[in-house]
Amino acid sequence: MLMRVSLRKMFFSVGAIVGTVYLLNIYGILRSDMLRSGHSRVNYERQQAVRDAMKHAWSGYRQFAFGHDEFQPLTRTFNSKWGGWGITLVDALDTLKLMGLDEEYSEAKRLDFQMQVFEMTIRALGGLLGAYELDNDPMLLKKATEVGDVLLWAYDTPTGLPASRLDINNRLLSGSTLLCIAEGGTMQLEYQKLAQLTGNDTYRRMAERASNALENGQRKYKGLYPTYIDIHSGQYVNNTALSVGAMADSFYEYQLKQYILNGKREQKYKDWYVTSSEAVKEKLVRTAWGMKYIGHWDYNESLFVQEMQHLTCFYPGLLALGARVLDRPEDLRLAEEITETCYLSYRNMPTGLGPEKSIFVLYRITGDDKYREWGWNIFMAIEKYARTPYGYAAVRNVGERLVQESNWEDSMESFFLAETLKYLYLLFSPPNLISLDEYVLNTEAHPFKIIK
Ligand SMILES: *[C@@H]1O[C@H](CO)[C@@H](O)[C@H](O)[C@H]1NC(C)=O
Ligand SMILES: *[C@@H]1O[C@H](CO)[C@@H](O)[C@H](O)[C@H]1NC(C)=O
Ligand SMILES: *[C@@H]1O[C@H](CO)[C@@H](O)[C@H](O)[C@H]1NC(C)=O
C-alpha cells in the first residue's frame, strides 16, 4: 500500500514471510496428523510468548497514546499521523480479541472514535470489519459503515477509481489525478464484505467498478499492470514500468482474494489472478545463485532490475494461497523457493530481523515445521532488537547489530499490532484458529469470513 511504503521498516515485513507460511499451512489440513502433533508444548509456549509481546506493545500504546494514532515508544508520546482518531486502536482490535486479551479488548472497543478521517480503508474499515467478524457486536458494524460511507466520497470520479486524498471537512477530492494500482485495487475486499454484512449492494458495485477500470485500462502486457493510472481518463501512464512490489503489491493480492471471499463464484477474478500470476512467473521471476527471486522492470525488459524488494516478499504467500485454492501444485514449489530467498536474505542480516507475512501462509499450507522455526527466529530478533521498555520501536538499520536508541525510530506502527504479531501468533496456533478455509485476511491481516 502506497502510504506504508516509506514507513514499513524491514522488520515489519516479517509479516510477509510469516503470512506465507501460514497460508502454506492450509495444506496442513491435508496433513492434519502432522499438525496435531505439531501443536506441542513448545508451540504453545511460543504462541504465549507472542501474546506477551502483544500485551507489551499494547500497554505502551494504552498508557501513553490511547485513542491517538501512533505510539512513539522512545519519547513515550503519540502522533496523529493518520488524522488523529486512533488508527492503532482500530487496527489492533481483532488481534486483541483473537489472542484472548479480553480486558484490553473491551476497553479498546468502548472508545468513541472520532471519525474525521480520510482514506484509511485497509486499517480502519478493515479493522472494524475484522473485529466485527470475530465478535458480532452491531456497534462495530455501525462504525464500519460510517467509515465506509465517508471514504466512499473519494470514488466520485469519471472512472470510479478513488482520488488518493479526500478533504473530509469540505468533501473535496484532492491529491494527484494519478493513482497507484495498490490504492485502486485494495478496497474491494473491504467494500464487498461491507455489502454482504449490511445487505447494501451499493458497496459491492462501486468495488467492482474500480476493479473493472483497472482491468480495462490499455496495457502492453497481458496480466501485468503498470504502476500508475489516471483516475479521470482511466489510462495507464509509463506503460512499461512493471513490478509487484511497492505501489502495486496488494492489487495483485486482492485479485485472488476477491475470488475466495466471494465463495469462488465469480470466474473473472480467478481469470485475472491466473493470467497475472502466469505473467509474473514468465516475466519477473528469475534465478540467481540457484535462488529464485522476483525482480522488476524500470522501463521494459531491457532494464530488468535484479533485486528483490522486501515488499515483494508477500508474493510467494499469494502463490501458495493460489496453489491451494486453484490446485496449482507447481506454484507451491515456487512459493517455497521464493520464501526461502526472502527468509535467507533477512537471516543473513546481522540482526536477523525479517519478513513474516509469507512464513505463516506457507506453514499453514505445507505443515512444514521449518517455517515455525523461521518465524520463531524472526520473533526472537524482534524481541532482541525492537523491544523497548514501553512497546516496540521500528529498527532504522537492520544491518546494524545495535540494541540501542540510535538504531531505533521513535514510532510503533499500527500494523505491528494488526499484522506482525497476529501472523506470529497464528503461526504457533492450531490451524483451525482463523482457518484459511473459512477466512480471507485483508492486506492488513484483518480476517473476513468467506461468503458462502
Ligand atoms: C446504501 O449505501 C449507500 C451509500 O452509503 C446509500 O447512499 C444508500 O442509501 C444505501 N441504501 C440503503 C438501502 O440503505
Ligand atoms: C513516467 O516516466 C517519466 C520519465 O519517462 C517520469 O518523469 C515520470 O515521473 C514517470 N511518471 C510516473 C507516475 O512514474
Ligand atoms: C526500453 O526503454 C529504454 C529506456 O526508455 C529505451 O531506450 C529502449 O528503446 C526500450 N526498449 C524497448 C525494446 O522498448
Side-chain angles (χ1 to χ4, degrees), residues 149 152 200 202-203:
D149 280 343
L152 214 55
N200 185 335
T202 307
Y203 304 121

Side-chain angles (χ1 to χ4, degrees), residues 330-350:
E330 71 288 354
D331 282 2
L332 183 60
R333 277 191 296 278
L334 180 60
E336 292 209 74
E337 288 183 81
I338 300 173
T339 301
E340 184 159 8
T341 305
C342 285
Y343 175 67
L344 290 179
S345 59
Y346 286 101
R347 181 88 195 120
N348 291 337
M349 292 286 191

Side-chain angles (χ1 to χ4, degrees), residues 178 228 237-238 299:
L178 289 184
Y228 289 95
V237 297
N238 291 1
Y299 289 99

